[in-house]
Amino acid sequence: AFSKAVDAPIITSFAVSKGTRGADGVWTTTQAQRLLDLTREAGGSLYAAEFFNEANMPSAAPEMPKGYTAANYAAEFRLFRDWARRAAPGMTILGVGGVGEAGLLSEVPVAADFGSHVSTEDMMKGNPNSLDAVSYHFYGSVSQRCAGLGIGTARKADALTARWLDLTLRDYDYYARLRDRYEPGKPMWNTETAQAACGGSPWAATFLDTFRYLNQNAALAQRGLQVMLHNTLAASDYALIDRDTLTPRPNYWAAVLWRRIMGETVLAAPRSPSPALRLYAHCLAGTRGGVGVLALNTGEAPQSLTLGGKGRAWTLT
């Protein structure tokens, strides 16, 4: 009902825990088919799906088979892919949906809570040219809820730094290189992202995070990212809307302006007068010949911008 009300296609992943597996421990399509059937009975459809969530950390899910490997994934993905092509031919098949391999999982020892790591490259290598789009997840860090993992947390002091804002490009480039190797020419989707993993830091709900939110939209559009899914609409600190009061947070208004102003055609970014002023441009949404410009002042000093013509401005403070 929500999908229909707001014209938001359903993108999901499937269960792979004990109840989906046969006596031999291998994944079966039974529960996936049931989800598909129930969705159709309710008058809906599945627009796109990953096989399962964050497959590069399978042991983080307690009911996954112990010692799950890239070879296990490759064999089970073939079952999923072949079923999906038959049962839901209009559904976009995404994968692998890995997370953290360019940063969080590569720069520090993996905490035991995260479980063992199965590399996205090894999984993609097992079934090249099998996806409709290559998907990945991105978080620059974790929130205080996961401080016990020992990999640091997102810091307010870093929120406007070039390093923090550009982490999203590092991860995109990592997974895009794998795309070029195993799924050449396929679109890139970021199917889960927010300020920090583990629910977001408290400041994810404030205007301070709006710089990251908008910069990530714009910088990845410049790279050619086709789809980005924000985590979440109304749950935890990184939600666009407060769960209890339904009050929109700053990133909600940023999302509204992005949708209304920045169209799907990405233009070359205007030249900036200062490294602190990040500028991005798209064709104006819904207006032929118009241009939408996003200006992010990440510094302390005021910045001026000459647009060279008439314009209408929205300022977030």
Side-chain angles (χ1 to χ4, degrees), residues 48-50 85 92-97 124 130-136 179 183 185-189 191 226-227:
E50 295 168 342
R85 295 286 188 227
T92 296
I93 296 180
L94 306 171
V96 168
M124 293 180 74
S130 290
L131 302 169
D132 297 316
V134 172
S135 64
Y136 72 102
R179 182 271 313 270
E183 299 284 345
K186 302 295 176 63
M188 291 289 293
W189 289 29
T191 47
Q226 188 180 79
V227 173

Side-chain angles (χ1 to χ4, degrees), residues 149-213:
L149 296 177
I151 59 176
T153 60
R155 297 170 1 112
K156 291 175 72 172
D158 297 332
L160 301 182
T161 64
R163 181 188 175 278
W164 175 254
L165 295 175
D166 291 338
L167 284 175
T168 191
L169 297 178
R170 175 201 65 186
D171 282 40
Y172 174 89
D173 290 345
Y174 177 89
Y175 289 107
R177 282 192 292 270
L178 297 182
R179 182 271 313 270
D180 294 343
R181 208 169 294 155
Y182 301 107
E183 299 284 345
K186 302 295 176 63
M188 291 289 293
W189 289 29
N190 182 332
T191 47
E192 185 183 316
T193 188
Q195 177 257 8
C198 306
S201 308
W203 59 272
T206 72
F207 178 58
L208 183 59
D209 185 51
T210 301
F211 293 84
R212 176 212 56 83
Y213 178 84

